[in-house]
């Protein structure tokens, strides 16, 4: 629980940087959409088809290792609790 509180505090601090079209990589059930959706023009959530969170909130099915978007398609990218699950975190970050 403490980790979630720290993450939420950091996201609240970072929300002033959110703008334009936003991609939430590994969005799950989009728990942060209420924090960001009113600050951006569009909030797109992507997650694996096999996500244990279900697909009700997803906008796009896809893999963080091979995002189905052209470079520079988004102004803001949110990626929490994903990097520890991918084989090459640096590739995802690039």
């Amino acid at each position: 629980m403490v980790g979630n509180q720290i993450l939420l505090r950091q996201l609240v601090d970072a929300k002033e940087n959110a703008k334009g079209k936003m991609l939430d990589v590994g969005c799950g059930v989009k728990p942060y959409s209420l924090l960001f959706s009113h600050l951006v023009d569009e909030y797109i959530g992507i997650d694996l088809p096999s996500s244990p969170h279900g697909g009700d909130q997803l906008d796009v099915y896809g893999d963080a290792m091979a995002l189905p978007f052209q470079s520079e398609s988004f102004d803001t990218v949110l990626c929490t609790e994903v990097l520890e699950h991918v084989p090459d975190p640096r590739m995802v970050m690039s």
Side-chain angles (χ1 to χ4, degrees):
M1 186 64 157
V2 172
N4 288 343
Q5 291 173 345
I6 292 170
L7 175 59
L8 184 57
R9 192 173 321 122
Q10 289 174 336
L11 289 173
V12 167
D13 290 345
K15 73 178 187 175
E16 66 188 45
N17 298 309
K19 63 180 179 183
K21 190 174 179 182
M22 182 174 191
L23 178 65
D24 185 349
V25 179
C27 68
V29 294
K30 289 187 177 178
Y32 307 115
S33 65
L34 290 175
L35 187 62
F36 290 102
S37 61
H38 67 284
L39 301 171
V40 297
D41 299 328
E42 193 173 359
Y43 186 102
I44 304 293
I46 183 170
D47 212 327
L48 293 170
S50 60
S51 170
H53 306 290
D56 295 345
Q57 298 291 322
L58 297 181
D59 299 299
V60 179
Y61 285 110
D63 188 330
M65 295 286 293
L67 293 172
F69 307 105
Q70 292 183 0
S71 293
E72 300 182 25
S73 294
F74 295 90
D75 303 295
T76 307
V77 177
L78 176 64
C79 182
T80 63
E81 302 179 68
V82 170
L83 298 179
E84 67 271 25
H85 300 287
V86 298
D88 189 350
R90 287 184 183 180
M91 181 180 175
V92 172
M93 293 297 293
S94 69

